[in-house]
Amino acid sequence: MTTTDFAAMTGLELMRWVQTERPTDIPSIGRLLGMRFDEVDHGRIVISLDTRPDFANPLGTVHGGIAATLLDSAMGCAVHTTLPAGTGYTTLELKVNYIRAARIDGQTLTATGTVIHAGRRTYIAESKVLDDQGKLVAHATTTCMIL
């Protein structure tokens, strides 16, 4: 297990640590789904994953919850990159629009999350998931409360 002091890190430092260290010994939704942190900047995150048969819905395409989790993770992590050490957040609202189905055969899905409003107590972020052909799979917005 790691001895890194996460509470002492800013959100941006923590997200960059996750990007470079790719910890496998810390349980997380990212580890479970195989998420990769491709880009980490202040107020912006790019996360990708490769689909697999375990992600299937009864119709044989990627379950909407996988896309929603990818969107939520990208938006939440984008918000996190703007926060000082010791500051947390929680999702107040998540709105997802599904555009097209994604395949379960190893297709790469990429979510870009961006903070579009940083208030004193609430933040608003948006995210898009694109497939490996650059086609829009889903779009979302979120409101987060700063703790």
Side-chain angles (χ1 to χ4, degrees):
M1 203 65 171
T2 183
T3 58
T4 303
D5 183 5
F6 301 121
M9 301 171 106
T10 68
L12 183 58
E13 290 168 340
L14 178 59
M15 292 295 103
R16 286 187 173 154
W17 180 86
V18 170
Q19 179 187 31
T20 58
E21 296 300 318
R22 305 188 94 152
T24 59
D25 60 339
I26 301 171
S28 70
I29 191 70
R31 182 180 80 171
L32 180 67
L33 298 181
M35 291 181 188
R36 298 176 297 272
F37 285 72
D38 302 323
E39 296 177 34
V40 176
D41 297 304
H42 186 267
R44 183 177 177 276
I45 289 274
V46 179
I47 301 173
S48 62
L49 60 75
D50 297 326
T51 65
R52 57 184 189 250
D54 288 337
F55 294 175
N57 62 25
L59 299 173
T61 59
V62 172
H63 189 281
I66 299 296
T69 300
L70 189 55
L71 291 159
D72 185 49
S73 296
M75 292 182 294
C77 289
V79 167
H80 200 155
T81 65
T82 68
L83 300 179
T87 303
Y89 66 96
T90 190
T91 300
L92 291 175
E93 174 267 340
L94 174 66
K95 166 73 169 81
V96 178
N97 293 305
Y98 298 101
I99 310 303
R100 68 177 33 87
R103 300 184 322 270
I104 59 168
D105 62 355
Q107 179 179 47
T108 299
L109 299 180
T110 303
T112 302
T114 307
V115 173
I116 59 174
H117 171 75
R120 191 170 44 90
R121 299 297 296 163
T122 59
Y123 279 44
I124 298 171
E126 68 178 355
S127 184
K128 295 177 182 177
V129 171
L130 303 179
D131 66 18
D132 51 13
Q133 301 298 307
K135 292 184 179 179
L136 184 64
V137 172
H139 173 267
T141 57
T142 192
T143 303
C144 293
M145 179 174 65
I146 306 305
L147 306 173

